[in-house]
Amino acid sequence: MRFFFLTLLFIQVQVAALWSQDINLGKPLPNWERGYLDIHHINTGRGNASFLQFPDGTTFLIDAGEISPLEPRIFSPRNASIKPDYSEKPFDWIVHYIRTVKPDIGTTGIDYALLTHFHDDHFGAMYPGAPLSGTGKFGLTGITGVGERVPVHTLIDRGYPHYGYPYDMKLQSTQYGGGEIEFGETMKNYFSFLQYQIEKGFKIDSFRAGSKTQISMKHDPASFPGFFVQNVKSNQFIWSGKDSSVQNVFPQYNATDRTTWPDENSLSLALTIHYGPFIYYTGGDNPGNVFAGDKPWRDVETPMAKAIGEVDIATMDHHGNRDAVNEFQVRTFRPTVWIEQVWSSDHPGHEVLIRATSPHLYPGKRDLFATNMLEANKNVIGPLIDRAYRSQQGHIVVRVFPEGKKYLVIILDDSRADMVVKAVFGPYYSKNKQIK
């Protein structure tokens, strides 16, 4: 059996080489080239971060997570270690990764950075002892650390400009935070970072559900008419699936009754990226499974899936946790590739993995890739993990070829700062379906 899988991997690498002779095991990933779409899922072991280069060279960062080192579980078997090592903070490893794949980033800057929601593993936790910015006005963690090291031209989040839904985040984050350590200080630090960046000419915007022009190519959009980013969900608003119209999926809430508020995960932003026939989905920590005592409208995956339809690649919502990746989403998305951004032993939930791999929900081949599968999770779930995942450890790069008709999945070694290629899978072929 081991010989079979090694032979299959060898064949996949050789087939991939037909499309790009420069992608070789043990060597650095060849640089992005004009006309390609690169999607990098960066593994620091401390949260989500994805860096994209559009076909015209526009750059896009989705999340920059950094869990507080004071979190009690952080050094237990339940959590991943920092990748590649503890010599740098997670935000510096994110910057190192981006500078490695785009060496001129310090000069050009990042065109867009988007925060899916305000949880530390997606935008960074402030904590006592965090390094300070050059001005001393804010601490460096997650997005504030990345923004200090690399210029960001436009930052998009779910709260700008008022940060008042479902509560006043500028005044009440300490009282109503999500239970994370020093959450009030984290939001205060974030607002200090924003204020400093605004003074420097930095642009901030709120994510507009339904739009497919808000995040656009900055350098040469006319050469790539088949490329666009579709904004799917922002807070309570979800794209209808037609033109730019949206629906409000949450009922009215009582500002004085916290039990009526949507939680932070269900407020996550979501989007799809389209390149010709190729479609990629990512949606932060949006939930889709409603448990006893939950509000039924906490299932936001179902209305999103109805609007989106089939995709080629889907990142697992909420890292594949048990409250996400519901049956309707799996049945509707039918991705060829599932990508799971992992840092905890409850990523994925056992039931999630069963749904994602079930031939009864949709037929045909599908490949699963995880950034950081933990031994604790493998001990609980058992051999299904080894059967399901093509790769369980490493940075995951999706390289979509010009016109979007085919793509590779490339695994980079996250234990090394030079991030050499560990494995290459594909080519995969995008589904031939009409773009909405």
Side-chain angles (χ1 to χ4, degrees):
M1 183 64 70
R2 177 178 173 82
F3 175 78
F4 170 78
F5 284 115
L6 288 174
T7 302
L8 183 60
L9 176 59
F10 175 79
I11 292 172
Q12 288 174 318
V13 171
Q14 295 305 308
V15 171
L18 295 176
W19 301 107
S20 180
Q21 295 290 342
D22 293 329
I23 301 179
N24 296 306
L25 300 185
K27 301 292 185 182
L29 178 71
N31 288 340
W32 167 92
E33 296 179 10
R34 176 180 166 81
Y36 286 75
L37 165 64
D38 278 4
I39 307 173
H40 299 262
H41 305 84
I42 304 170
N43 180 36
T44 66
R46 288 294 185 268
N48 281 22
S50 298
F51 179 71
L52 295 81
Q53 293 189 79
F54 294 171
D56 74 332
T58 299
T59 51
F60 183 26
L61 177 68
I62 302 177
D63 287 335
E66 185 168 344
I67 304 168
S68 170
L70 303 182
E71 172 65 48
R73 62 180 280 179
I74 202 74
F75 296 107
S76 76
R78 294 180 60 200
N79 271 61
S81 59
I82 292 179
K83 298 293 183 180
D85 56 46
Y86 287 83
S87 65
E88 302 284 355
K89 302 292 186 185
F91 75 84
D92 268 325
W93 283 124
I94 295 172
V95 171
H96 168 82
Y97 187 105
I98 295 172
R99 285 176 172 165
T100 300
V101 299
K102 186 170 174 52
D104 64 345
I105 197 72
T107 302
T108 63
I110 299 171
D111 292 306
Y112 298 98
L114 178 140
L115 304 178
T116 58
H117 63 297
F118 298 118
H119 276 163
D120 56 358
D121 59 323
H122 291 262
F123 85 125
M126 185 57 184
Y127 56 92
L132 296 178
S133 65
T135 64
K137 293 183 177 181
F138 54 89
L140 304 182
T141 175
I143 189 62
T144 67
V146 173
E148 171 81 352
R149 300 283 193 262
V150 179
V152 176
H153 301 302
T154 299
L155 175 66
I156 301 171
D157 65 25
R158 73 165 192 82
Y160 182 83
H162 303 299
Y163 297 95
Y165 185 78
Y167 64 93
D168 188 331
M169 301 191 76
K170 291 185 176 179
L171 298 179
Q172 298 175 298
S173 288
T174 299
Q175 180 181 359
Y176 293 127
E180 296 168 7
I181 295 175
E182 305 284 354
F183 183 74
E185 291 301 312
T186 293
M187 292 308 301
K188 180 180 177 181
N189 188 66
Y190 178 64
F191 294 134
S192 296
F193 165 74
L194 294 187
Q195 184 58 44
Y196 173 70
Q197 297 295 347
I198 289 171
E199 292 169 0
K200 292 174 57 180
F202 175 103
K203 181 181 177 183
I204 307 171
D205 205 354
S206 59
F207 191 71
R208 299 190 293 275
S211 174
K212 66 175 185 179
T213 59
Q214 182 180 20
I215 300 170
S216 59
M217 290 186 286
K218 291 288 191 181
H219 309 300
D220 186 15
S223 294
F224 306 100
F227 180 90
F228 64 93
V229 177
Q230 176 69 61
N231 294 1
V232 174
K233 178 179 175 295
S234 179
N235 293 327
Q236 72 271 45
F237 297 109
I238 294 179
W239 178 49
S240 69
K242 298 179 180 179
D243 50 62
S244 59
S245 62
V246 299
Q247 54 183 325
N248 185 342
V249 297
F250 295 158
Q252 290 291 323
Y253 70 99
N254 184 343
T256 63
D257 182 0
R258 190 176 182 180
T259 65
T260 67
W261 300 358
D263 63 285
E264 188 65 32
N265 282 350
S266 63
L267 295 171
S268 291
L269 309 183
L271 56 86
T272 52
I273 295 173
H274 301 247
Y275 191 19
F278 173 82
I279 303 177
Y280 167 92
Y281 165 82
T282 187
D285 283 358
N286 278 298
N289 287 303
V290 179
F291 300 122
D294 285 347
K295 305 296 183 183
W297 40 263
R298 195 168 187 268
D299 172 14
V300 292
E301 287 183 330
T302 295
M304 285 197 294
K306 288 178 180 178
I308 294 167
E310 287 190 41
V311 303
D312 294 287
I313 297 180
T315 58
M316 290 187 180
D317 288 330
H318 200 190
H319 322 274
N321 211 312
R322 288 172 176 81
D323 68 346
V325 194
N326 72 15
E327 182 175 317
F328 186 86
Q329 186 197 68
V330 174
R331 225 183 254 281
T332 304
F333 277 1
R334 300 176 171 233
T336 304
V337 169
W338 286 102
I339 292 176
E340 184 183 8
Q341 294 165 291
V342 179
W343 56 264
S344 170
S345 60
D346 51 2
H347 306 158
H350 194 169
E351 314 92 311
V352 170
L353 189 53
I354 291 171
R355 288 194 294 272
T357 57
S358 171
H360 303 290
L361 294 184
Y362 69 101
K365 175 183 172 64
R366 81 287 312 263
D367 288 348
L368 278 65
F369 299 89
T371 55
N372 207 75
M373 189 62 66
L374 298 184
E375 196 64 30
N377 202 348
K378 296 170 71 173
N379 288 339
V380 171
I381 294 178
L384 177 58
I385 287 182
D386 287 333
R387 293 200 305 268
Y389 287 86
R390 305 306 305 277
S391 175
Q392 299 177 26
Q393 188 71 49
H395 310 295
I396 303 169
V397 183
V398 176
R399 175 155 286 180
V400 186
F401 287 78
E403 301 181 358
K405 295 179 181 179
K406 58 180 175 284
Y407 56 95
L408 302 175
V409 176
I410 305 161
I411 310 302
L412 305 185
D413 192 340
D414 58 10
S415 69
R416 296 174 48 161
D418 58 357
M419 299 145 36
V420 297
V421 175
K422 283 177 59 177
V424 184
F425 298 88
Y428 300 91
Y429 292 88
S430 303
K431 299 176 182 179
N432 294 318
K433 54 185 270 215
Q434 185 176 356
I435 304 298
K436 293 184 179 181

